[in-house]
Amino acid sequence: MSDDKLTLKGDRIAKVIARAGVCSRREAERMIEEGRVSVDGEIIKSPALNVVPTNIIVVDGKALPDRQPPRLWRFHKTRGLITTNKDPEGRPTVFEQLPQGTPRVISVGRLDFNTEGLLLLTNDGELARYLERPDSGMVRRYRVRVHGRVNEDELAALKEGPVIDGVQYGPVEAILDVQKGSNAWININIREGKNREVRRVMESLGYEVTRLIRTDYGPVQLGKLPQGELEEIPRKALSEWFGGKVAGISGNSKGASKEGFAQAKEKPRFKGPRRDKGADEEDTRKGPRRGTKPSEKGVRKGPRRDKNTDESDRRTGPRKGPQKGRKPNADRRR
């Protein structure tokens, strides 16, 4: 392997492997240290290595696949599945339950064996890393059923961030939903997602967790997705949520971050019907112009009169002409 291929140009090899959807960046670094990765035919031992597209990368004897556009799926995990590709104990895994034709995917974080609910899967390691980082601010929401009488003051104190066995946890928002006898349902929001965090926090308060369901992860909701079902998140939604934040996801959709992208011109507001350009300014008033009569179309106030009619001949009613068979008044007086 020549030195000119391994320069500061390109990207770190663990990042390239993660982008190809093989695994997360952290797992890629572990695989490199275990001697499972080769570049241009030589096994490497350190992830401190930059590679370019011309380098041939092989992981576990298989050539690195070409990078595909980032995709994201939501999966309704049931209890009794482990979130790993292979389990030494032979327990069923999440990946064994995926439908045929599903591309190679990795999980965004994990759900333990007895936890059910929303699990995110992606073909892109960089997207997975972005969703997992605490500084990304992705809230994980859970519904927890516990055995015991819940003290709401103890739940409120979790907002300060509990310390359990010397480990400092981030703020935990816990709200009692319903207490039924000796069992209760609690809604919990966390942002860090440390290993078994929700169970450890509840156990530290003396509550036994009997059921744990993740309902939300960041902007993605479990909703009414049936157990064991897999559903892909639309590309438009990815653009709205992660556009400009994750490599390979553009932010040109409505609602996406506008920073760094061209802005569409605002459409003019409708101001009413168009007027003739030659219209007099007086015509824009609410009432008729001074000196003009309102339209009389369809309105007749009385019989039309001749212009030469004498004022004395104007009567309130129509004029009666001479009747047939009768003579004028002058002849009748004779």
Side-chain angles (χ1 to χ4, degrees), residues 21-34:
V22 174
C23 58
S24 67
R25 187 186 297 190
R26 184 176 300 176
E27 290 175 339
E29 293 175 349
R30 178 175 54 82
M31 295 170 70
I32 291 171
E33 293 172 353
E34 294 174 354

Side-chain angles (χ1 to χ4, degrees), residues 273-306:
R274 298 180 59 182
R275 298 186 177 91
D276 194 358
K277 293 183 179 179
D280 193 318
E281 187 176 316
E282 292 287 340
D283 291 337
T284 62
R285 298 178 180 177
K286 295 182 179 179
R289 294 178 59 191
R290 185 175 298 177
T292 63
K293 297 181 180 180
S295 173
E296 296 179 354
K297 184 178 180 180
V299 179
R300 188 170 183 177
K301 297 184 178 179
R304 299 180 63 180
R305 298 185 179 92
D306 196 301

Side-chain angles (χ1 to χ4, degrees), residues 219 235-245 249-259 261-264:
R235 184 74 182 176
K236 181 179 179 181
L238 296 185
S239 296
E240 292 176 357
W241 298 336
F242 313 122
K245 300 175 183 178
I249 301 179
S250 61
N252 54 357
S253 296
K254 183 179 179 181
S257 173
K258 302 298 182 182
E259 185 177 356
F261 298 94
Q263 302 293 315

Side-chain angles (χ1 to χ4, degrees), residues 302-323 329:
R304 299 180 63 180
R305 298 185 179 92
D306 196 301
K307 292 182 179 180
N308 298 324
T309 303
D310 193 304
E311 287 291 334
S312 61
D313 293 335
R314 294 182 180 177
R315 299 178 180 177
T316 56
R319 296 181 63 184
K320 296 181 180 179
Q323 299 180 7
N329 292 340

Side-chain angles (χ1 to χ4, degrees), residues 105 116 313:
V105 293
E116 56 192 291
D313 293 335

